[in-house]
Amino acid sequence: MNAPHARPKRKRIAALLLAAGRGRRFSASATQEQASISKQFHLLAGQPVIRHAALALLPHVDVLQPVGNDPLLPEALAGLDVRPPVEGGAERHDSVRAGLEALAKLPEQPDIVLVHDGARPCVPAAVIARTLEALESFEGVIPALPVSDTLKKVEGGVITGTVPREGLWRAQTPQGFSFPLLRDLHDRHRTALTDDAGLLEAEGHKVAIVMGSEDNIKLTVTEDLMRLERVIEDQKTQPVQAPVLLPRVGLGYDVHAFAEGRKLILCGIEIPHEKGLAGHSDADVGIHTLCDAIYGALNEGDIGRHFPPTDEKWRDMDSARFLIHAGDLIRSKGGMLVNADLTIICERPKIGPHAKAMCARLAELLKVNPSRISVKATTSERLGFTGREEGIAATAAVSIMVPDSGE
């Protein structure tokens, strides 16, 4: 029996903002006055360091949970849409566990959690977006930068060897995870690790790398304050220029045969008919061809590349999930969907009575105005497999505007 057809639930995203550490290396390099407060509460461009970090995270998450014991924390985040801070622990992993426990008590628990250091105030929005996008395919993702400098091992002030840098990356935050998985690992492990990705690695879970940013500096020593000030000043002084958008066109085509005992799902809605369509997922031929057109316009292959039919987790999947991914991919590249034109080819059922509802559903999934979506139908004049009512075919054309990469 096929799984019931239901709209996919939008993933709920939470973030932990860690502020429990004192910053021993910062204190060691600081004046007595500077060392009197934790590094994340020093002023940077007139605001506490941790407030910059919170402002960077808030546009991307549903819930922001600060973790820390310092009485300056509520004041530093005053007026922002964040939850009341929870107390951290003696070590970083204790603070993460405390934050996860607080999120677990929410009426609606998150699906994804980002873990970010309060001492990283300048994380670019693109880094957060890349991390969230990769979490569609992996249970753990971290931003990082490849090591470019030669590494030396030193003992007693003397070089004792050279460390090969091939395959070495510098980890940054926010690190992203499946919330249920990270909570389970923290419940079962009390190991002190420098980052949460290490918990997943220890149990054999794949953790993906996305490109970080040189601007995503962690405040570690006092000299970093000057570097961070320059980053913020550069961001202020750089002229805000609208990106040059170039048109891209994609075409899609898909076919599914009729099958007994299945619901007929077309363009995200159920259509009354005596047969459904055969396929690994719900076989929504309209959405599949629209996804292929979008992926083609973005030079991202086809739907099978992103959702392989050999993978059992996509069996009987609501194809709306696929179209949401395609729309998110457009936005992650800084692009926009101009319009989509979809043609369904079949003798029966009649598509006209349902076309308006189809347009509305596709627009909802793609987060665009329904005026940008066209759904129409034609027959093959009783010729071929569609004429013999053996199945349904669909074609789609999309127009997308994406920033010029300069290549």
Side-chain angles (χ1 to χ4, degrees):
M1 182 178 293
N2 295 318
H5 189 78
R7 293 186 179 186
K9 176 186 173 185
R10 187 183 73 84
K11 288 187 177 180
R12 187 167 175 79
I13 303 168
L16 300 181
L17 185 59
L18 304 182
R22 284 290 302 177
R24 298 183 185 92
R25 283 176 288 178
F26 182 87
S27 297
S29 66
T31 64
Q32 184 174 359
E33 182 181 356
Q34 287 175 321
S36 65
I37 63 172
S38 297
K39 61 183 180 181
Q40 54 266 33
F41 301 111
H42 279 270
L43 292 183
L44 184 64
Q47 298 189 87
V49 167
I50 195 168
R51 189 177 183 90
H52 288 282
L55 289 168
L57 290 171
L58 279 170
H60 303 271
V61 303
D62 301 293
V63 178
L64 182 56
Q65 176 64 67
V67 183
N69 312 323
D70 200 298
L72 293 175
L73 183 55
E75 179 184 344
L77 301 178
L80 299 183
D81 185 17
V82 303
R83 290 185 52 76
V86 295
E87 289 192 7
E91 301 293 340
R92 185 183 189 281
H93 63 278
D94 298 318
S95 295
V96 173
R97 186 180 304 112
L100 294 172
E101 289 173 356
L103 293 176
K105 295 176 183 177
L106 295 176
E108 188 176 2
Q109 292 187 16
D111 303 290
I112 288 170
V113 61
L114 301 177
V115 182
H116 189 54
D117 295 326
R120 286 190 188 269
C122 296
V123 54
V127 171
I128 302 173
R130 285 195 290 268
T131 302
L132 291 172
E133 181 183 349
L135 283 167
E136 297 290 337
S137 305
F138 294 90
E139 293 178 305
V141 177
I142 71 171
L145 290 172
V147 173
S148 57
D149 297 322
T150 298
L151 300 176
K152 298 291 184 180
K153 187 175 181 180
V154 177
E155 294 180 10
V158 177
I159 295 174
T160 60
T162 299
V163 180
R165 67 191 181 199
E166 288 75 16
L168 295 180
W169 290 67
R170 296 180 282 137
Q172 299 182 336
T173 67
Q175 299 186 356
F177 306 95
S178 157
F179 174 76
L181 175 61
L182 189 63
R183 186 185 175 211
D184 174 64
L185 292 178
H186 269 282
D187 283 344
R188 294 191 287 108
H189 296 277
R190 305 288 163 163
T191 309
L193 295 170
T194 56
D195 72 355
D196 299 281
L199 281 177
L200 277 71
E201 297 163 30
E203 291 220 348
H205 295 278
K206 291 183 178 180
V207 180
I209 289 283
V210 297
M211 190 58 67
S213 169
E214 292 290 356
D215 289 345
N216 192 13
I217 300 167
K218 183 177 182 180
L219 177 56
T220 305
V221 294
T222 53
E223 288 80 2
D224 292 332
L225 284 170
M226 292 184 290
R227 296 173 61 205
L228 289 165
E229 287 278 2
R230 284 197 294 269
V231 170
I232 291 177
E233 286 304 312
D234 286 346
Q235 292 173 347
K236 289 180 180 178
T237 57
Q238 286 174 357
V240 178
Q241 295 180 342
V244 177
L245 297 179
L246 297 179
R248 303 285 291 273
V249 174
L251 302 177
Y253 176 75
D254 195 28
V255 172
H256 282 275
F258 280 123
E260 300 283 354
R262 288 175 65 97
K263 295 178 180 179
L264 179 59
I265 308 299
L266 287 176
C267 298
I269 66 173
E270 184 177 343
I271 305 297
H273 197 60
E274 61 267 24
K275 295 180 181 179
L277 293 173
H280 186 69
S281 63
D282 65 2
D284 188 330
V285 67
I287 282 183
H288 291 187
T289 192
L290 186 51
C291 286
D292 268 352
I294 292 172
Y295 292 139
L298 296 175
N299 195 22
E300 287 284 346
D302 60 17
I303 194 171
R305 169 179 163 183
H306 299 275
F307 304 98
T310 54
D311 192 332
E312 281 300 305
K313 72 180 178 182
W314 307 124
R315 181 171 293 281
D316 294 323
M317 177 62 66
D318 184 345
S319 293
R321 168 73 179 74
F322 308 154
L323 191 57
I324 289 172
H325 175 268
D328 287 344
L329 195 56
I330 296 173
R331 288 182 289 275
S332 73
K333 293 178 180 290
M336 62 175 287
L337 178 72
V338 178
N339 77 299
D341 182 25
L342 180 66
T343 302
I344 298 174
I345 306 164
C346 63
E347 299 294 332
R348 290 189 312 125
K350 297 298 182 185
I351 302 301
H354 309 286
K356 185 175 181 180
M358 289 177 173
C359 289
R361 177 60 173 151
L362 295 176
E364 176 188 6
L365 297 173
L366 288 168
K367 299 180 182 178
V368 299
N369 191 290
S371 65
R372 299 191 185 191
I373 309 295
S374 168
V375 175
K376 59 188 186 298
T378 188
T379 70
S380 55
E381 299 294 339
R382 295 289 178 181
L383 299 175
F385 74 93
T386 56
R388 295 190 296 271
E389 299 190 32
E390 295 173 1
I392 296 179
T395 65
V398 301
S399 175
I400 295 172
M401 300 294 287
V402 294
D404 183 6
S405 64
E407 298 176 357

